[in-house]
Short mmCIF file of all heavy atoms in Angstrom, two decimals:
data_model
loop_
_atom_site.label_atom_id
_atom_site.label_comp_id
_atom_site.label_asym_id
_atom_site.label_seq_id
_atom_site.Cartn_x
_atom_site.Cartn_y
_atom_site.Cartn_z
N GLU X 1 26.71 104.98 187.05
CA GLU X 1 26.16 106.38 187.15
C GLU X 1 24.65 106.31 186.81
O GLU X 1 24.37 106.07 185.74
CB GLU X 1 26.81 107.32 186.22
CG GLU X 1 26.48 108.74 186.17
CD GLU X 1 26.52 109.40 187.66
OE1 GLU X 1 27.59 109.38 188.24
OE2 GLU X 1 25.39 109.90 187.99
N PRO X 2 23.74 106.62 187.87
CA PRO X 2 22.34 106.65 187.64
C PRO X 2 21.85 107.53 186.52
O PRO X 2 20.79 107.30 185.94
CB PRO X 2 21.80 106.93 189.10
CG PRO X 2 22.82 106.54 190.00
CD PRO X 2 24.10 106.89 189.35
N THR X 3 22.57 108.62 186.33
CA THR X 3 22.13 109.50 185.36
C THR X 3 22.35 108.97 183.91
O THR X 3 21.78 109.66 183.02
CB THR X 3 22.95 110.84 185.40
OG1 THR X 3 24.38 110.56 185.22
CG2 THR X 3 22.69 111.63 186.64
N TYR X 4 22.95 107.89 183.71
CA TYR X 4 23.06 107.11 182.43
C TYR X 4 21.75 106.56 182.04
O TYR X 4 21.42 106.33 180.82
CB TYR X 4 24.10 106.13 182.45
CG TYR X 4 25.51 106.59 182.50
CD1 TYR X 4 26.61 105.75 182.88
CD2 TYR X 4 25.79 107.93 182.32
CE1 TYR X 4 27.89 106.12 183.05
CE2 TYR X 4 27.19 108.35 182.38
CZ TYR X 4 28.19 107.49 182.68
OH TYR X 4 29.52 107.99 182.86
N LEU X 5 20.97 106.21 183.09
CA LEU X 5 19.64 105.56 182.72
C LEU X 5 18.53 106.50 182.13
O LEU X 5 18.56 107.67 182.49
CB LEU X 5 19.08 104.97 184.05
CG LEU X 5 20.03 104.05 184.74
CD1 LEU X 5 19.46 103.64 186.11
CD2 LEU X 5 20.09 102.59 184.01
N ARG X 6 17.77 106.01 181.16
CA ARG X 6 16.83 106.75 180.40
C ARG X 6 15.45 106.29 180.61
O ARG X 6 15.27 104.95 180.68
CB ARG X 6 17.20 106.82 178.97
CG ARG X 6 18.44 107.44 178.76
CD ARG X 6 18.81 107.46 177.07
NE ARG X 6 18.88 105.98 176.82
CZ ARG X 6 18.65 105.54 175.52
NH1 ARG X 6 18.04 106.28 174.62
NH2 ARG X 6 18.69 104.20 175.17
N HIS X 7 14.45 107.13 180.64
CA HIS X 7 13.03 106.85 180.82
C HIS X 7 12.72 105.93 179.57
O HIS X 7 11.85 104.98 179.63
CB HIS X 7 12.21 107.89 180.85
CG HIS X 7 12.36 108.77 182.11
ND1 HIS X 7 11.75 108.43 183.26
CD2 HIS X 7 12.93 109.93 182.31
CE1 HIS X 7 12.05 109.31 184.19
NE2 HIS X 7 12.78 110.26 183.61
N GLU X 8 13.31 106.28 178.53
CA GLU X 8 12.90 105.60 177.11
C GLU X 8 13.25 104.11 177.02
O GLU X 8 12.90 103.57 175.86
CB GLU X 8 13.49 106.47 176.01
CG GLU X 8 13.09 107.88 175.87
CD GLU X 8 13.85 108.73 176.73
OE1 GLU X 8 14.76 108.26 177.64
OE2 GLU X 8 13.73 110.11 176.68
N VAL X 9 13.91 103.49 177.96
CA VAL X 9 14.33 102.17 177.82
C VAL X 9 13.74 101.29 178.78
O VAL X 9 14.13 100.11 178.95
CB VAL X 9 15.86 102.06 177.73
CG1 VAL X 9 16.48 102.64 176.60
CG2 VAL X 9 16.50 102.66 179.04
N THR X 10 12.82 101.81 179.65
CA THR X 10 12.23 101.11 180.68
C THR X 10 11.17 100.04 180.16
O THR X 10 10.71 100.21 178.99
CB THR X 10 11.54 101.92 181.74
OG1 THR X 10 10.40 102.65 181.12
CG2 THR X 10 12.36 102.81 182.28
N PRO X 11 10.79 98.94 180.78
CA PRO X 11 9.90 98.04 180.16
C PRO X 11 8.38 98.53 179.94
O PRO X 11 7.89 98.34 178.89
CB PRO X 11 9.74 96.83 181.20
CG PRO X 11 11.07 97.15 182.15
CD PRO X 11 11.43 98.47 181.98
N VAL X 12 8.05 99.54 180.80
CA VAL X 12 6.75 100.07 180.68
C VAL X 12 6.75 100.97 179.45
O VAL X 12 5.79 101.02 178.65
CB VAL X 12 6.35 100.84 181.98
CG1 VAL X 12 5.08 101.61 181.71
CG2 VAL X 12 6.13 99.82 183.18
N PHE X 13 7.85 101.78 179.28
CA PHE X 13 7.86 102.66 178.08
C PHE X 13 8.07 101.91 176.88
O PHE X 13 7.16 102.23 175.89
CB PHE X 13 9.15 103.53 178.16
CG PHE X 13 9.18 104.50 177.01
CD1 PHE X 13 8.55 105.83 177.08
CD2 PHE X 13 9.90 104.02 175.95
CE1 PHE X 13 8.76 106.52 176.02
CE2 PHE X 13 10.09 104.97 174.85
CZ PHE X 13 9.42 106.17 174.80
N GLY X 14 8.65 100.76 176.86
CA GLY X 14 8.65 99.96 175.69
C GLY X 14 7.20 99.34 175.25
O GLY X 14 6.94 99.50 174.07
N LEU X 15 6.51 98.93 176.20
CA LEU X 15 5.23 98.45 176.07
C LEU X 15 4.28 99.64 175.48
O LEU X 15 3.52 99.52 174.55
CB LEU X 15 4.55 97.96 177.23
CG LEU X 15 4.96 96.47 177.72
CD1 LEU X 15 4.49 96.14 179.04
CD2 LEU X 15 4.26 95.51 176.58
N VAL X 16 4.30 100.79 176.14
CA VAL X 16 3.63 102.00 175.71
C VAL X 16 3.89 102.36 174.24
O VAL X 16 3.08 102.61 173.41
CB VAL X 16 3.73 103.21 176.71
CG1 VAL X 16 3.07 104.39 176.14
CG2 VAL X 16 3.13 102.79 177.99
N ARG X 17 5.22 102.36 173.96
CA ARG X 17 5.60 102.66 172.50
C ARG X 17 4.95 101.74 171.51
O ARG X 17 4.43 102.14 170.62
CB ARG X 17 7.21 102.78 172.55
CG ARG X 17 7.69 102.99 171.13
CD ARG X 17 9.12 102.46 171.01
NE ARG X 17 9.23 100.99 171.19
CZ ARG X 17 10.25 100.36 171.60
NH1 ARG X 17 11.31 101.01 171.81
NH2 ARG X 17 10.23 99.02 171.70
N ASP X 18 5.12 100.47 171.86
CA ASP X 18 4.76 99.46 170.89
C ASP X 18 3.21 99.45 170.75
O ASP X 18 2.60 99.29 169.72
CB ASP X 18 5.19 98.12 171.33
CG ASP X 18 6.76 97.85 171.24
OD1 ASP X 18 7.29 98.56 170.39
OD2 ASP X 18 7.38 97.21 171.94
N LEU X 19 2.56 99.52 171.88
CA LEU X 19 1.06 99.62 171.79
C LEU X 19 0.52 100.82 171.18
O LEU X 19 -0.44 100.84 170.45
CB LEU X 19 0.45 99.49 173.19
CG LEU X 19 0.56 98.24 173.90
CD1 LEU X 19 0.06 98.20 175.41
CD2 LEU X 19 -0.12 97.08 173.26
N GLY X 20 1.28 101.94 171.30
CA GLY X 20 0.95 103.19 170.60
C GLY X 20 1.06 103.01 169.00
O GLY X 20 0.18 103.45 168.27
N ASN X 21 2.23 102.38 168.64
CA ASN X 21 2.35 101.97 167.21
C ASN X 21 1.28 101.15 166.72
O ASN X 21 0.83 101.40 165.61
CB ASN X 21 3.69 101.35 167.01
CG ASN X 21 4.85 102.37 167.18
OD1 ASN X 21 4.72 103.62 166.90
ND2 ASN X 21 5.98 101.94 167.62
N LEU X 22 0.97 100.23 167.55
CA LEU X 22 -0.25 99.21 167.06
C LEU X 22 -1.48 100.00 167.06
O LEU X 22 -2.24 99.69 166.16
CB LEU X 22 -0.22 98.10 168.05
CG LEU X 22 0.81 97.00 167.91
CD1 LEU X 22 0.63 95.83 168.88
CD2 LEU X 22 1.11 96.45 166.52
N MET X 23 -1.76 100.94 167.94
CA MET X 23 -3.06 101.55 167.92
C MET X 23 -3.11 102.47 166.63
O MET X 23 -4.12 102.68 165.98
CB MET X 23 -3.10 102.51 169.19
CG MET X 23 -4.47 103.31 169.22
SD MET X 23 -6.01 102.22 169.13
CE MET X 23 -5.99 101.56 170.79
N GLY X 24 -1.92 103.05 166.19
CA GLY X 24 -1.96 103.89 165.00
C GLY X 24 -2.21 102.90 163.76
O GLY X 24 -3.05 103.39 162.86
N LEU X 25 -1.73 101.76 163.72
CA LEU X 25 -2.04 100.83 162.70
C LEU X 25 -3.40 100.30 162.80
O LEU X 25 -4.04 100.23 161.69
CB LEU X 25 -1.11 99.46 162.85
CG LEU X 25 0.35 99.71 162.46
CD1 LEU X 25 1.29 98.63 162.85
CD2 LEU X 25 0.56 100.00 160.92
N ALA X 26 -3.91 100.18 164.03
CA ALA X 26 -5.40 99.74 164.08
C ALA X 26 -6.37 100.79 163.62
O ALA X 26 -7.30 100.48 162.92
CB ALA X 26 -5.66 99.43 165.54
N LEU X 27 -6.08 102.09 163.84
CA LEU X 27 -6.86 103.14 163.31
C LEU X 27 -6.73 103.43 161.84
O LEU X 27 -7.73 103.85 161.29
CB LEU X 27 -6.51 104.49 164.12
CG LEU X 27 -6.73 104.53 165.53
CD1 LEU X 27 -6.16 105.72 166.17
CD2 LEU X 27 -8.30 104.43 165.96
N ALA X 28 -5.66 102.88 161.27
CA ALA X 28 -5.53 102.91 159.86
C ALA X 28 -6.19 101.72 159.07
O ALA X 28 -6.10 101.66 157.90
CB ALA X 28 -4.02 103.08 159.43
N SER X 29 -6.63 100.74 159.89
CA SER X 29 -7.12 99.59 159.36
C SER X 29 -8.49 99.82 158.58
O SER X 29 -9.17 100.65 158.90
CB SER X 29 -7.23 98.50 160.31
OG SER X 29 -6.03 98.14 161.01
N PRO X 30 -8.81 98.83 157.64
CA PRO X 30 -8.05 97.67 157.15
C PRO X 30 -6.76 98.22 156.26
O PRO X 30 -7.01 99.14 155.38
CB PRO X 30 -9.04 96.98 156.33
CG PRO X 30 -10.07 98.03 155.99
CD PRO X 30 -10.13 99.05 157.05
N LEU X 31 -5.67 97.63 156.47
CA LEU X 31 -4.53 98.08 155.97
C LEU X 31 -4.44 97.78 154.38
O LEU X 31 -3.62 98.55 153.61
CB LEU X 31 -3.27 97.45 156.66
CG LEU X 31 -3.04 97.80 158.09
CD1 LEU X 31 -1.95 97.10 158.71
CD2 LEU X 31 -2.89 99.17 158.22
#
């Protein structure tokens, strides 16, 4: 059922989520 698929689990979204988290850490640096 295609409606089971979510935007939140695509490879591109995973990269954007992780790079966003890293950018937040980078802006908080030096940790």
Side-chain angles (χ1 to χ4, degrees):
E1 177 55 55
T3 57
Y4 291 163
L5 300 171
R6 298 177 295 150
H7 295 284
E8 295 85 352
V9 294
T10 60
V12 174
F13 179 89
L15 280 169
V16 169
R17 177 199 65 204
D18 293 330
L19 291 176
N21 287 330
L22 288 183
M23 181 58 76
L25 288 171
L27 294 173
S29 296
L31 296 177

